[in-house]
């Protein structure tokens, strides 16, 4: 693996010297991975830890998975979710510290699941001659481990990730901007085609980073944000999952392949 600077890690591709292909930039959590159960389990464990540390008995009332995920998808602030669960404002910071401490623990990463259409979508990109480049706030090692476990490594050409394992949960927009700009510049240097590139992702970080870089943007509503929330960001297109996005993006980026 190449050296890390402040946050960027690029995993060199075996296909680096292959012929120039049109590039599609794609996020990882959301379009490819369903993180909902891991985030929910982390939230539940965070509440239990605070309950025990502060001897609250069973004063807290965890939300159901459906309630929790609907709030996350509509970008309700974490403090509001915590207070709806019975946590006092004074205990919010210790709660979030606990959540951030454990969310990337291997015992919780096992809750991550592949999205139902992700494998078919990655195959579709490959068959269409697209170079698929992942741009994610996850650590590249976690990405590679997941792709390997799913047998998908050969369908992804390159991975740009964040060295800080806490970055993905925090979903920092500025960090995604910088990572995408770096990925575009490096793909161009390698001779790949980015003139008609798209940025595909499930949050405001993806849509805003893509817009800022002058790319077309495909928002995916099966991840951490709802369709109605994503629509307000005015992405080029809004899709229900990665497979419908792959078909639309290939059609727009490579008309002859559709
Ligand atoms: Mg995402």
């Amino acid at each position: 693996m190449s050296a890390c600077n402040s946050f960027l890690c690029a995993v060199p591709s075996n296909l680096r010297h292959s012929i120039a292909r049109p590039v599609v930039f794609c996020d990882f959590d959301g379009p490819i991975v369903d993180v909902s159960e891991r985030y929910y389990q982390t939230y539940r464990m965070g509440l239990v830890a605070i309950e025990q540390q502060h001897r609250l008995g069973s004063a807290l009332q965890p939300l159901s998975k459906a309630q929790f995920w609907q709030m996350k998808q509509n970008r309700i602030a974490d403090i509001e979710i915590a207070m709806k669960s019975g946590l006092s404002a004074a205990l919010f910071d210790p709660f979030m510290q606990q959540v951030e401490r454990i969310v990337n623990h291997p015992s919780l990463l096992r809750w991550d699941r592949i999205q139902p259409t992700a494998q078919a979508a990655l195959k579709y990109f490959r068959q269409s001659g697209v170079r698929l480049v992942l741009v994610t706030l996850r650590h590249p090692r976690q990405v590679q481990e997941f792709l390997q476990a799913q047998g998908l490594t050969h369908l992804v050409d390159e991975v740009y990730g964040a060295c800080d394992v806490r970055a993905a949960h925090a979903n920092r927009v500025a960090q995604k901007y910088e990572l995408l700009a770096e990925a575009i510049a490096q793909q161009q240097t390698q001779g790949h085609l980015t003139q008609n590139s798209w940025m595909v992702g499930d949050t405001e970080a993806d849509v805003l980073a893509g817009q800022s870089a002058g790319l077309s943007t495909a928002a995916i509503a099966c991840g951490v944000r709802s369709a109605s929330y994503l629509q307000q960001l005015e992405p080029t297109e809004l899709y229900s999952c990665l497979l419908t996005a792959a078909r639309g993006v290939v059609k727009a980026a490579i008309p002859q392949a559709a």
Side-chain angles (χ1 to χ4, degrees):
M1 190 180 297
S2 62
C4 294
N5 62 22
S6 58
F7 66 85
L8 174 73
C9 293
V11 175
S13 162
N14 296 331
L15 306 170
R16 178 161 286 193
H17 301 295
S18 61
I19 56 165
R21 286 181 289 153
V23 180
V24 169
F25 298 95
C26 185
D27 178 36
F28 180 63
D29 283 340
I32 295 175
V33 185
D34 175 1
V35 297
S36 62
E37 191 62 30
R38 173 160 60 98
Y39 281 23
Y40 183 62
Q41 293 291 338
T42 306
Y43 152 83
R44 292 288 302 255
M45 287 176 71
L47 288 181
V48 168
I50 293 297
E51 224 166 35
Q52 288 171 351
Q53 284 165 17
H54 296 270
R55 302 177 194 281
L56 301 177
S58 48
L60 304 183
Q61 295 146 356
L63 303 171
S64 69
K65 162 98 184 271
Q67 289 171 317
F68 170 80
W69 197 241
Q70 200 208 1
M71 292 178 84
K72 289 298 279 185
Q73 282 199 315
N74 287 294
R75 214 185 172 196
I76 305 297
D78 286 326
I79 190 164
E80 201 174 318
I81 295 175
M83 291 178 78
K84 279 222 158 41
S85 314
L87 205 70
S88 67
L91 290 178
F92 175 67
D93 284 346
F95 167 71
M96 282 309 292
Q97 282 159 12
Q98 177 69 14
V99 164
E100 281 160 14
R101 198 173 64 78
I102 63 176
V103 70
N104 281 290
H105 192 275
S107 66
L108 283 163
L109 286 172
R110 73 188 167 89
W111 289 106
D112 282 349
R113 294 285 178 266
I114 187 159
Q115 291 284 15
T117 71
Q119 184 173 22
L122 297 191
K123 282 184 179 165
Y124 187 82
F125 278 129
R126 174 51 53 97
Q127 286 161 3
S128 306
V130 160
R131 177 176 170 78
L132 188 66
V133 173
L134 301 188
V135 180
T136 170
L137 295 177
R138 273 275 208 120
H139 195 290
R141 190 182 58 240
Q142 287 183 2
V143 176
Q144 293 295 353
E145 283 171 1
F146 184 89
L147 293 175
Q148 235 160 31
Q150 299 292 333
L152 300 175
T153 311
H154 64 293
L155 298 176
V156 172
D157 292 288
E158 201 148 353
V159 178
Y160 292 83
C163 288
D164 177 0
V165 291
R166 295 163 302 182
H169 190 254
N171 194 39
R172 298 181 192 107
V173 176
Q175 206 166 345
K176 194 94 187 204
Y177 270 51
E178 244 180 287
L179 198 55
L180 179 60
E182 185 73 28
I184 294 170
Q186 287 193 9
Q187 294 303 305
Q188 288 171 345
T189 303
Q190 291 176 36
H192 296 293
L193 310 175
T194 61
Q195 297 90 327
N196 296 319
S197 280
W198 285 64
M199 176 67 207
V200 181
D202 70 318
T203 72
E204 59 283 354
D206 305 299
V207 175
L208 298 175
Q211 288 169 340
S212 154
L215 305 185
S216 300
T217 53
I220 310 277
C222 65
V224 188
R225 300 288 183 251
S226 66
S228 57
Y229 177 83
L230 290 167
Q231 193 71 67
Q232 296 167 35
L233 304 168
E234 302 187 340
T236 312
E237 298 288 348
L238 176 65
Y239 295 102
S240 59
C241 72
L242 189 57
L243 183 57
T244 53
R247 290 185 183 131
V249 163
V250 165
K251 197 172 176 180
I254 320 172
Q256 71 277 13

